[in-house]
Amino acid sequence: MIEKTKITGLMVYYYFVCKRKLWLFSNGITFEEGNDLVALGKLLDENTYSREKKHISIDNTINIDFIKDWEILHEIKKSRTIEEANIWQIKYYLWFLQQRGIDIKKGVLDYPKLKIRLDVTLSEEDKKEIEKIIVEISEILTNKKSPEKIKSKICKKCAYYEYCFI
């Protein structure tokens, strides 16, 4: 199972999107391959900010889209539909880097298709919340049974839709 130090940014993202998806993905049950929306996200990632050194992996745990001058962390997203999850993923990256002595000023959520940027910072309260989130993610991952499915408007576009509802 995933140890506490191996909580990834994607896990934090899935924690806010759907705890069942988090459990399934973390247990090797994936349906992203062949999903059109996932492919669209990858295509957007590949074709934006091409001058930047992208996909910075740190400790084989987090994978940052890019960091500008080691001061501003950027995460590229295609839509604002699940913005809370996007924000907390960046906050987790900022926290993770701080834990390793790397102080990044802020994060930026880039929505290139929408031509929108959103600044994200990490407060002391956020750090405490991240500690709680890590504990909750660890508990979800150690459960033998997946959490119950949710019923949300985002479910129909999820790669796990058929698994949960059909």
Side-chain angles (χ1 to χ4, degrees):
M1 195 52 60
I2 309 291
E3 53 190 273
K4 183 178 176 182
T5 56
K6 291 293 181 183
I7 301 295
T8 68
L10 189 58
M11 289 176 184
V12 172
Y13 177 82
Y14 284 168
Y15 171 84
F16 283 94
V17 172
C18 174
K19 290 169 181 60
R20 182 181 180 114
K21 183 174 185 170
L22 165 65
W23 187 91
L24 290 166
F25 180 83
S26 298
N27 280 281
I29 303 168
T30 61
F31 293 102
E32 271 85 6
E33 189 111 0
N35 181 281
D36 291 342
L37 292 173
V38 173
L40 180 62
K42 287 180 181 180
L43 188 62
L44 177 68
D45 179 56
E46 291 169 7
N47 293 301
T48 56
Y49 303 98
S50 57
R51 285 183 248 160
E52 302 297 336
K53 181 183 182 304
K54 295 196 294 189
H55 303 290
I56 301 163
S57 179
I58 299 175
D59 289 348
N60 279 336
T61 304
I62 64 171
N63 186 9
I64 299 165
D65 285 345
F66 68 94
I67 300 176
K68 190 82 169 170
D69 301 325
W70 283 97
E71 292 182 354
I72 301 173
L73 181 148
H74 288 260
E75 194 62 24
I76 304 164
K77 300 293 184 181
K78 69 180 185 304
S79 95
R80 296 179 80 172
T81 305
I82 313 170
E83 192 161 71
E84 180 185 24
N86 296 338
I87 290 168
W88 279 101
Q89 183 179 18
I90 288 184
K91 287 179 186 241
Y92 178 69
Y93 289 161
L94 294 170
W95 175 87
F96 186 90
L97 292 170
Q98 275 187 1
Q99 298 300 303
R100 282 144 185 84
I102 303 168
D103 195 27
I104 303 294
K105 290 181 182 177
K106 68 177 179 178
V108 174
L109 263 172
D110 289 298
Y111 299 103
K113 283 178 61 182
L114 304 172
K115 294 182 174 54
I116 295 173
R117 293 177 126 187
L118 179 69
D119 288 350
V120 178
T121 58
L122 183 66
S123 70
E124 289 303 316
E125 228 173 83
D126 293 336
K127 292 176 189 178
K128 291 175 188 168
E129 188 63 25
I130 287 170
E131 293 286 345
K132 291 179 193 173
I133 291 166
I134 289 170
V135 169
E136 289 179 29
I137 289 173
S138 296
E139 288 172 359
I140 290 167
L141 299 183
T142 56
N143 284 335
K144 294 195 184 307
K145 187 177 170 197
S146 74
E148 292 297 314
K149 65 185 171 195
I150 61 170
K151 292 179 181 152
S152 170
K153 63 180 182 170
I154 63 169
C155 291
K156 288 187 178 178
K157 293 185 178 183
C158 178
Y160 292 83
Y161 179 78
E162 288 183 11
Y163 178 85
C164 292
F165 293 100
I166 295 179

